[in-house]
Amino acid sequence: MNLLQAKEYYEVLGFSVIPLIPGGKLPLFDLTFLKLKPEYAWAKAPPDANIGIRCGGKKHLVVLDCDEKYQPGTFRRVIKFLNSNSLSDKELLIVQTASQGGAGRHIYFQCP
């Protein structure tokens, strides 16, 4: 799947996506610009722009970044907290990140 296909896939799922610096994590445009419609930002983005998924929105998306580098056990503690607040593992999408040592995780879920 190329970046354009991934962008379209996320949009079909109902997520709001914004262009990021190619190969990076930072927005391609400053935050003032991002208040405009994402379609306008994408029209100005280079074809190799990376994809950022905005939290909130119609999907009420929440993403937690659990980085084990400075606080070992973070992921385990966050999962335990979410489970104790009625979010089961079945409601969580967990993605391993490219953090140092591969110990980082992003936890995606909806919060009504």
Side-chain angles (χ1 to χ4, degrees):
M1 178 181 303
N2 65 35
L3 288 175
L4 179 59
Q5 291 169 324
K7 174 189 167 289
E8 291 171 353
Y9 177 74
Y10 293 135
E11 289 172 338
V12 166
L13 292 176
F15 295 118
S16 175
V17 293
I18 58 171
L20 304 180
I21 294 171
K25 297 180 180 182
L26 298 175
L28 190 58
F29 304 104
D30 69 29
L31 295 178
T32 306
F33 187 83
L34 294 178
K35 290 181 182 177
L36 301 175
K37 291 185 176 185
E39 298 82 26
Y40 183 75
W42 282 106
K44 300 287 185 182
D48 61 343
N50 210 356
I51 301 168
I53 299 175
R54 292 200 294 186
C55 292
K58 294 176 185 176
K59 291 288 187 177
H60 306 282
L61 179 67
V62 177
V63 180
L64 299 177
D65 186 357
C66 299
D67 192 350
E68 301 282 317
K69 183 177 179 182
Y70 299 110
Q71 292 291 325
T74 297
F75 175 71
R76 180 182 46 77
R77 286 190 301 275
V78 169
I79 290 293
K80 185 176 178 179
F81 172 79
L82 293 173
N83 290 163
S84 72
N85 283 279
S86 302
L87 282 169
S88 73
D89 291 354
K90 292 179 183 179
E91 297 171 285
L92 307 174
L93 172 63
I94 300 167
V95 178
Q96 184 171 341
T97 64
S99 64
Q100 188 177 24
R105 305 282 187 279
H106 286 170
I107 304 171
Y108 295 73
F109 60 97
Q110 290 180 294
C111 187

